[in-house]
Amino acid sequence: SSLDELGPVNLEAVAELSEVEERHGFLDAQRADLEDARKSLDETVRRLDQESERRFLEAFTEIREHFKAVFRQLFGGGRADITLLEGAGVLDAGIEITARPPGREVLPISLLSGGQRTLTALAILFAVFRSQPSPFCILDEVDAALDDANIGRFLGLLTATLDETQFVVVTHNK
């Protein structure tokens, strides 16, 4: 009959049910703890992202102003700027560098001569150093593309920075 079809009765079912309910309760508490930990981590990541973005923008603004000044110093005039590219979050955005050496139109850095690109790159490097001085720096043949007049400007900038940073300069120039 239908009782025969059910098979033998598990006499331990009540005890097993109690064990399974206890295990279920334990796992449910563990899941709730993990959900709380995830929410806490998500909040921490959100706060870190906000703080990172704030600090980056502060540093970027400071470096940008230093870059403009150092560029004018190295080129004896002209204008340059660094800007964040649109379309991405601040921490993921690219940076565009534009420069206008004296007597030239505004150009992306890729269209400058080798010496002008070198001076522009040095302007960025020294702008960062003015914002966050480093005690030590190695420059390896950064002056290779510079003529004598530009080497003089570079050395003037280097000398002005010696109070904050010690430089090792590898060069083939005198």
Side-chain angles (χ1 to χ4, degrees):
S1 73
S2 59
L3 282 180
D4 289 334
E5 290 174 11
L6 288 176
V9 174
N10 182 357
L11 299 176
E12 299 295 320
V14 174
E16 287 177 10
L17 176 64
S18 176
E19 288 176 20
V20 168
E21 284 176 338
E22 185 179 320
R23 176 78 175 145
H24 182 268
F26 173 77
L27 292 174
D28 211 29
Q30 290 290 312
R31 184 187 49 79
D33 286 349
L34 287 172
E35 286 175 357
D36 290 344
R38 181 178 180 195
K39 286 177 188 173
S40 176
L41 285 172
D42 286 343
E43 176 61 23
T44 300
V45 167
R46 187 188 63 74
R47 282 194 326 266
L48 285 172
D49 283 347
Q50 286 177 335
E51 181 65 14
S52 296
E53 187 173 308
R54 183 189 66 76
R55 286 183 177 193
F56 175 82
L57 287 173
E58 282 178 8
F60 184 81
T61 301
E62 185 177 351
I63 290 168
R64 182 180 185 200
E65 293 309 311
H66 289 309
F67 172 61
K68 291 175 183 181
V70 173
F71 182 90
R72 284 189 304 272
Q73 179 183 351
L74 282 174
F75 280 87
R79 282 194 333 247
D81 202 0
I82 52 175
T83 54
L84 294 175
L85 296 176
E86 299 286 327
V90 169
L91 299 176
D92 297 320
I95 296 174
E96 182 177 36
I97 303 164
T98 54
R100 188 184 67 76
R104 302 272 318 258
E105 69 277 3
V106 174
L107 297 169
I109 192 170
S110 62
L111 296 179
L112 297 174
S113 71
Q116 291 170 331
R117 274 196 305 268
T118 297
L119 286 180
T120 303
L122 287 169
I124 292 170
L125 176 69
F126 281 87
V128 171
F129 278 167
R130 285 188 180 176
S131 178
Q132 288 287 335
S134 173
F136 191 73
C137 178
I138 298 173
L139 300 173
D140 186 10
E141 296 188 33
V142 297
D143 59 339
L146 300 179
D147 60 18
D148 288 342
N150 287 330
I151 287 175
R153 289 186 179 136
F154 165 62
L155 290 175
L157 182 61
L158 198 65
T159 303
T161 312
L162 288 177
D163 289 345
E164 299 165 339
T165 303
Q166 183 177 12
F167 291 93
V168 173
V169 179
V170 178
T171 181
H172 291 291
N173 287 304
K174 298 175 190 174

